[in-house]
Amino acid sequence: MGSQQSAVAELTADILNEYAELTYLNKAEIIELFKNWIDIMELVNNRDPVFAARIPFDIIASFYLQLQHNPFKDRLCKVFSTGMDGCFSFEDLLDLFSVMSHACPNNVKANWAFHIFDFDEDNGVGVEDIMEIAHRLTTGHCDNYPDFQLDDNTKRSIAQTLLSQLDLESSGKISVLAFAHGIGKMANFGSLFSFRV
């Protein structure tokens, strides 16, 4: 416990103020995430300096229920890992929780959601991306029907319907601007694309 207290002391008032200015998190949320970060570092016996440590995302995800059961967990790792190495720094963790914060504006959330849903990373959400989204959102997640799955024809039909409404450039893909525009029409997007510290 003493090592946690000394590590928490590294989160100076200046650093805390800077993180509060650069994220959509309040100071209490930042402190809570920092304490969790120290606990995770101790769990894996990581002796790196607190702000230089990189921890495998799977270990971090096991620490948070909202990540453990997220059908897009792998994409959250890919998009928010600045080292693109399957690991997170403390600042990567802050970025993720900042975007998923209820205080984050919908236009910022929409931009990050676009990158999460662009599975093939071709700067457009196309048919295959939408089919993958539908698959992840439905497979095994229906309590009354645990084996429920959409067949490929249904997923493709959903994708074509979305593209017909959102592919403003007729490119066969939804651009980031069209995606943000479409998301802007969803009144509850901000609350659905959120979780708490």
Side-chain angles (χ1 to χ4, degrees), residues 7 10 20 35 47 52 62 86 90 95 116 122 139 145 149 157-159 166 173 179-180 186:
E10 291 185 44
K35 287 178 180 177
R47 300 290 177 221
S62 71
F90 176 64
D95 286 343
I116 292 165
D122 64 352
T139 304
Y145 305 97
Q149 285 189 50
S157 176
I158 291 168
L166 297 173
K173 297 178 187 287
F179 185 88
M186 292 177 54

Side-chain angles (χ1 to χ4, degrees), residues 142-154:
C142 187
D143 291 338
N144 295 329
Y145 305 97
D147 296 325
F148 175 77
Q149 285 189 50
L150 295 176
D151 61 63
D152 284 347
N153 288 336
T154 303

Side-chain angles (χ1 to χ4, degrees), residues 49-103:
V50 174
F51 295 109
R54 294 192 64 75
I55 297 175
F57 182 73
D58 288 342
I59 293 168
I60 291 168
S62 71
F63 212 77
Y64 297 97
L65 282 175
Q66 57 271 55
L67 296 177
Q68 283 177 29
H69 303 290
N70 192 306
F72 301 99
K73 176 171 58 173
D74 61 319
R75 292 298 301 159
L76 292 171
C77 174
K78 178 91 170 164
V79 169
F80 285 93
S81 173
T82 54
M84 295 182 282
D85 56 0
C87 296
F88 265 33
S89 66
F90 176 64
E91 290 185 354
D92 294 338
L93 185 68
L94 276 183
D95 286 343
L96 170 61
F97 275 88
S98 177
V99 168
M100 300 309 283
S101 160
H102 290 285

